[in-house]
Amino acid sequence: MLLRNRLLALLVPCGRKAKWVVIAAWLIIVFIAVPMAGKLSGAEKNDFTQALPSGAQSTQVAELDSRFKGGNDLSGVVVYARDKALSAADRAKVADDRERLAEITGHSVPPPSASADGQALTLAVTLPSDAKSGAIKKVRTQAEQNLPDGLDARLTGAAGEKLDGQDAFGGVESTLLYVAAGVVALLLLFIYRSPVLWILPLIVAGVTSQVAEAIVYLLARHAGMVVNSLGAAILLVLVFGAGTDYALLLLSRYREELRHQDDRHEAMRAALRKSAPAVIASAATVCLALLCLTVAELKSNRSLGPVAAVGIVCALAATLTLLPALLVVCGRWVFWPAVPRPGTRPAAKRTVWERLGAGVAARPRVSWIAAALVLCALALGGTGLRTGLDFKHVYRSEPGSVVGQKMLADHYPGGSARPARVIADAAAAGPVAQALEVEGVAKVLPPKKSTDGALVSISVVMTDPPNSSGAESTIDRMRASAAVKVPDAHVRVGGSTAATLDVARAHSHDRKAVIPLALAVVFLVLVLLLRSLIAPLLLVGAVVACYFATLGTSWLLFQHVLGFPAVDASLVLYGFIFLVALGVDYTIFLVDRMREETALSAPREGALRAFRATGGVVVSAGAVLAATFAVLAVLPLVAMAEIGVMVGLGVLLETLLVIAVLVPGIALDLGRWFWWPSKLARPTGGSRTHGGSRVKKEYSDDRQAPTGDPVQL
């Protein structure tokens, strides 16, 4: 028995000896993790083939590239143009560049192609598929230097896009880390108004980010997990946002217990016992919802779930082990100047949160109906929502490859830089080429045979710019024509535009597969946690309503404030997963406390006690998570900015409207029926039998009014 008690004491992170063991263990883990975390960016796979859906025609074309000579090479187009006829000096510059670019790339450069209006020339360049940014930069520098006055030159095509992507994301992970850490630090300073306390959650978040990145790196290297820039960015944001949220909940309970316990070790033990179930339940809900992405068709969607789940698990582990150990080691003084001591009470002033709770309690039905109507009105903003960003709006600024595409569109057929690529059986090359001559096709180039002679590759120049709606329609027409006219030629139409089209359709499939599954998983977790059917149904419905309201509000913001013409195809799915998972996260913080308090008192009083006790925590946590997701807006991709803005806005709606008004209003209006069929729904259950003494014992003296720590709103 004595040995078992000693072992249990070591397992509790706040024990007198265990706290040092925990800190030492985390120091060892960090020492091992930091070098691997630094290698994560090198393991990222951002090429478009990693995002393609399995079995799509564009995916098959990409997989067959290796059977053609130079099929895996990186192509680019240097376009030279001016607003009038080219001069002799212009042509001399292009001729000189042709020779020098051949030396730089190690591949011959075909003669320049002139535009019909005589105002532009293009050079086609080829680089190895694994060309680094330095080699591509030499091509761009050679083209853009020593230009005659009035002549403009840009590198576009796959090579130009790759270089622009590398330029845009150069150092972005460190920037994101510093901005996220700064935002969290400022918010924690405001929440706690302590010059010391904010440091500990920030240290824990920093440690967690390194450990999570190291684990993801190992999974990418040795388990085949696909990690891209979006996944790495969301991993960092979740670690700081969700980790700080869990820390806020623990700190709130710890501060409560320090007002009733002489020993800080016992105070932390009690705080862990009371807060850990809610934290674990919320983390489990988020992880399970994220893992629903593994049923997606797109590789990028499938991989994001496990990557983000790793961050949540690491944040949970650090919050329940490292943070308690650090807090207990530091002692009460970390809360200075408002040090919680036994027998002290929190500030007696009535907070905004308490006044709001009293207002909702006075008219619960009016309150929740009004909140629901507001959500419905905001959801109407999503009318006319357009999904799918064209090539010109992928970046928030206008990089060189986009400018080059515009120059090509002004002087050449729109698809010159990124022609469609068709692969078919060599025996049917002629009929296939004829079948591809449909509306929207400017030119079908001569077929090239594979190294084994079994296949042919045919490049098709379209009249519309790559990735435009017109070009996508042309892809569909080519596929339909080939399927009818040469059904046995195994025709696959791929290339940039075809890939974009296939990805958009895969996103549609993934939404239909992932969203219902995520809702079912979240509902089941809530049923198990709350032991109720009515409450989980209402809570899931509230979160879904908040999602549609957020989508509508975000679309209005994107259109009329930020100037985005559409939302990225991934936003509808990612926004849903993050808002539903994280929205339920906050709901669990409130409703789990409601269940605890209702077991000790009448439903109305229990709901109000929970409302007062968790109000400040939920608002503070929501502000932190919203701000950390909004940090994604500093990134250069429109898709990332949209995700950051939408999730940040949704979290604020969730905490300030759903958690503050809708859920408490419904719970107060339904009373015990909210908890049906659990024992809390029975009129003779809970405090009706033993309630008086239990409530008196639990909330005597200074425990009569739990407050909304950590911030007095």
Side-chain angles (χ1 to χ4, degrees), residues 307-394:
V307 168
V310 167
I312 294 295
V313 171
C314 290
L316 174 67
T319 301
L320 296 183
T321 57
L322 179 59
L323 181 59
L326 291 174
L327 286 168
V328 172
V329 166
C330 292
R332 298 174 188 266
W333 67 270
V334 295
F335 290 94
W336 185 87
V339 179
R341 301 189 184 281
T344 61
R345 297 185 182 185
K349 64 179 182 179
R350 199 180 188 199
T351 65
V352 173
W353 189 262
E354 289 182 85
R355 290 195 291 270
L356 178 61
V360 172
R363 295 179 178 84
R365 185 168 301 174
V366 172
S367 298
W368 75 257
I369 291 176
L373 290 175
V374 170
L375 293 176
C376 290
L378 293 175
L380 292 176
T383 304
L385 178 73
R386 292 191 295 273
T387 60
L389 293 167
D390 59 23
F391 180 78
K392 295 181 292 185
H393 297 95
V394 171

Side-chain angles (χ1 to χ4, degrees), residues 162 301 304 573 664:
K162 180 175 181 178
N301 288 347
L304 179 61
L573 177 60

Side-chain angles (χ1 to χ4, degrees), residues 34 78 110 156 188 198 208 223 242 251 277 317-318 330 394 411 464 470 497 532 545-547 635 661 665 668:
V34 168
V78 181
T156 188
L188 289 175
W198 64 273
T208 306
L251 282 166
C330 292
V394 171
H411 302 283
D464 294 298
T497 302
S532 166
C546 183
Y547 163 75
L635 300 181
V661 181
L668 289 168

Side-chain angles (χ1 to χ4, degrees), residues 75-81 120 122 152-162 164 390-395 398-419 461-468 471 496-497:
S75 63
V77 176
V78 181
V79 54
Y80 305 81
T122 60
D152 193 9
R154 302 287 174 149
L155 173 64
T156 188
E161 292 167 20
K162 180 175 181 178
D164 287 338
D390 59 23
F391 180 78
K392 295 181 292 185
H393 297 95
V394 171
Y395 293 95
E398 196 171 64
S401 60
V402 173
V403 176
Q405 286 283 4
K406 290 181 178 179
M407 293 165 62
L408 282 173
D410 289 340
H411 302 283
Y412 294 87
S416 298
R418 301 299 295 269
V461 179
M462 296 178 285
T463 57
D464 294 298
N467 303 333
S468 65
S496 173
T497 302

